[in-house]
Amino acid sequence: MAKLRVSRDAGAARRATFMEPAQKITLGFAGAVALGTLLLMLPVSSAEGRWTGVVDALFTATSAVCVTGLTVVDTATHWSGFGQVVILLLIQLGGLGIMLFAALVGLLLARKMSVRARLVAGAETKTSGDGNTRRIGIGILQTSLAIEAVVALLLCLRFVFGYGYDLPKAIWYATFHAVSAFNNAGFALYSDNMMSFVADPWICLPLCLAIVLGGLGFPVLRQLRRELWVPLRWTMNTRIVLIMSGALLAAGTVFFTVVEWSNPATLGKLDPAARLLAGFFQSVQARTAGFNSVDISQLHDGTWLGLDVLMFIGGGPAGTAGGIKVTTFAVLFFIVWTELRGGTSVNIFGKRLSRAVHREAITVVVIAIGAIITVTLLILNITDVDLDLVLFEAVSAFGTVGLSAGITATLPDAAQLMLVLLMFLGRLGPLTLGSALALRERRIAYELPKERPAIG
């Protein structure tokens, strides 16, 4: 009896240890949203010196902390300088918080391994295998600030010499948009977002650079910094993220440019070079950033659907991007490919994929689809908005993208609160769920008889 009690106590302690990071990050983000809501409600945060409604403040705070970018009020005109600073800080906190937590999860996973497995993992990633939370956290902070500083400098120079901004204004605008871009937030200090710069590569390309780097994820950036010219040493995660990100960016650019080429309300009014730039820019934004250089509400229905797919997939894990992540999508693709070929195991880049990863990827995708469909149905039942528009907003919220067809501000409070929950779930759900699944593994001493139901 004593032995059984010790076993149960050990199991409970192990489960508590595994769940603690997810609980802490969820409570931490909820606390940040609550504090941000209170600050944004204050008259000092409003350009007119008035109290902001709780739903508007809550929506904006959640969108900033979850680095989404959806808005119900105009960021450029509704908020004062103080309010915009609050939004900027919430964006930075949200982006860095996700990355730090992802690094912590990776550390916990490493500690869960045996000494031999840790040494193997350390040899593969060129680390000690022991992990160091403080060192990882400092590395993430340094990488983030360095990228943001470089992009801010490029934008500042363009604002000063290209648009005649005075230096303080140029520094503020450059800093805000650099931080918003790297953290894949999509908040802008212009009422038309980035539409005024649709043909300006000196503005669009630095923003795209920050978005892509933030969306790759810190593990990839860390390995590229150390082993950029030694691709044979890259991990499976790095290879998948780079290949899938490149493929999706290229496919998104071609798709958006071709479909919208003759649309007079979007690309049709631009010269060919500007059309290509705008097509690439919007393909990058669909990877969960949310800036727009063309009017999203004027896109063709087919373009909305294509962007839905890109937003749902998102960017790389352990970064500032949202969505189900390109690694999850790649795992599902290779599972299907292996099944079609009649294979018995999924092999990626010369290595066999663990069956536990199969289950984790399928679970994340099914829950994501379920959440999006549920919110879409609920909003459809309380509004008269068309399905394609509601679905676009729901996918954008879950993927923490921020692209909008222009209906967010017109939705009733109940629908906006549903999007708030979807943003929160989309930002924290895949990561906390993924860590919980990876850390929750338990051994069963028996197996039931096999039986196959009819499929298809």
Side-chain angles (χ1 to χ4, degrees):
M1 179 66 72
K3 184 176 181 180
L4 179 60
R5 184 180 300 110
V6 171
S7 177
R8 288 178 176 176
D9 291 344
R14 184 165 59 253
R15 287 191 296 271
T17 301
F18 291 166
M19 289 305 297
E20 187 177 3
Q23 293 173 346
K24 283 186 175 181
I25 196 65
T26 301
L27 292 176
F29 269 66
V33 169
L35 177 60
T37 301
L38 293 176
L39 291 175
L40 291 177
M41 288 177 61
L42 297 176
V44 68
S45 296
S46 169
E48 298 181 356
R50 300 179 180 178
W51 289 88
T52 298
V54 62
V55 174
D56 290 346
L58 173 63
F59 192 99
T60 304
T62 305
S63 185
V65 172
C66 297
V67 291
T68 304
L70 286 175
T71 59
V72 289
V73 295
D74 187 359
T75 305
T77 59
H78 179 85
W79 304 110
S80 64
F82 176 81
Q84 292 172 354
V85 169
V86 170
I87 292 174
L88 181 66
L89 294 177
L90 292 177
I91 291 172
Q92 188 73 84
L93 175 64
L96 290 179
I98 283 290
M99 297 176 76
L100 288 172
F101 176 64
L104 178 60
V105 169
L107 181 61
L108 291 174
L109 286 172
R111 286 180 174 174
K112 185 190 173 188
M113 298 177 184
S114 64
V115 174
R116 181 179 178 82
R118 264 185 279 173
L119 291 175
V120 172
E124 182 181 22
T125 59
K126 299 304 175 186
T127 63
S128 64
D130 296 325
N132 185 303
T133 305
R134 180 174 179 271
R135 177 170 53 82
I136 292 174
I138 292 175
I140 290 176
L141 183 62
Q142 290 176 337
T143 300
S144 302
L145 295 181
I147 294 174
E148 290 171 353
V150 171
V151 174
L153 176 61
L154 295 175
L155 294 177
C156 183
L157 293 175
R158 182 58 176 168
F159 286 143
V160 170
F161 297 107
Y163 295 93
Y165 287 17
D166 58 71
L167 189 58
K169 181 180 179 181
I171 293 175
W172 167 238
Y173 273 64
T175 301
F176 186 96
H177 292 99
V179 172
S180 183
F182 177 74
N183 290 286
N184 281 219
F187 278 89
L189 296 180
Y190 301 98
S191 296
D192 63 354
N193 206 277
M194 292 290 123
M195 292 176 62
S196 299
F197 307 106
V198 62
D200 189 344
W202 299 102
I203 297 293
C204 293
L205 293 182
L207 291 176
C208 289
L209 174 64
I211 292 164
V212 171
L213 292 177
L216 290 179
F218 178 73
V220 175
L221 294 178
R222 185 169 183 266
Q223 183 161 50
L224 291 180
R225 185 179 63 182
R226 295 184 172 186
E227 301 172 335
L228 176 62
W229 307 112
V230 194
L232 291 178
R233 295 182 181 178
W234 293 352
T235 63
M236 179 189 294
N237 179 77
T238 297
R239 296 181 184 185
I240 290 177
V241 170
L242 291 178
I243 293 174
M244 292 301 300
S245 295
L248 290 173
L249 283 175
T253 301
V254 172
F255 169 79
F256 189 94
T257 305
V258 170
V259 176
E260 294 293 321
W261 185 267
S262 300
N263 185 348
T266 55
L267 301 186
K269 58 186 177 183
L270 305 173
D271 61 70
R275 295 183 195 185
L276 293 175
L277 176 63
F280 173 72
F281 186 81
Q282 289 308 145
S283 177
V284 172
Q285 307 316 308
R287 308 308 310 290
T288 80
F291 291 118
N292 64 280
S293 60
V294 298
D295 190 348
I296 300 298
S297 66
Q298 300 300 315
L299 298 177
H300 293 310
D301 293 350
T303 309
W304 281 334
L305 183 59
L307 292 179
D308 284 340
V309 175
L310 293 175
M311 293 189 299
F312 181 75
I313 296 173
T320 59
I324 62 170
K325 306 299 187 295
V326 293
T327 47
T328 304
F329 177 76
V331 167
L332 292 180
F333 172 82
F334 281 107
I335 290 175
V336 173
W337 179 250
T338 301
E339 190 67 25
L340 292 176
R341 297 181 62 188
T344 57
S345 61
V346 179
N347 300 317
I348 304 178
F349 303 128
K351 294 185 179 180
R352 182 171 57 87
L353 199 64
S354 169
R355 292 191 180 275
V357 177
H358 302 190
R359 299 191 296 270
E360 292 166 16
I362 293 172
T363 301
V364 168
V365 171
V366 170
I367 291 178
I369 293 175
I372 291 172
I373 291 177
T374 299
V375 171
T376 300
L377 288 175
L378 290 174
I379 294 179
L380 286 174
N381 284 324
I382 62 175
T383 66
D384 296 325
V385 184
D386 294 338
L387 170 61
D388 50 359
L389 296 178
V390 175
L391 179 62
F392 189 86
E393 301 293 312
V395 174
S396 181
F398 178 84
T400 67
V401 181
L403 290 177
S404 174
I407 67 170
T408 309
T410 65
L411 294 175
D413 288 349
Q416 292 179 0
L417 291 176
M418 292 178 197
L419 292 179
V420 166
L421 293 176
L422 200 54
M423 285 189 288
F424 200 82
L425 174 63
R427 195 57 177 151
L428 299 180
L431 185 58
T432 55
L433 177 61
S435 63
L437 291 174
L439 294 168
R440 189 178 177 271
E441 181 181 349
R442 59 189 181 93
R443 298 185 180 277
I444 300 178
Y446 63 90
E447 288 187 355
L448 298 176
K450 290 183 178 180
E451 186 174 353
R452 289 176 60 92
I455 302 296

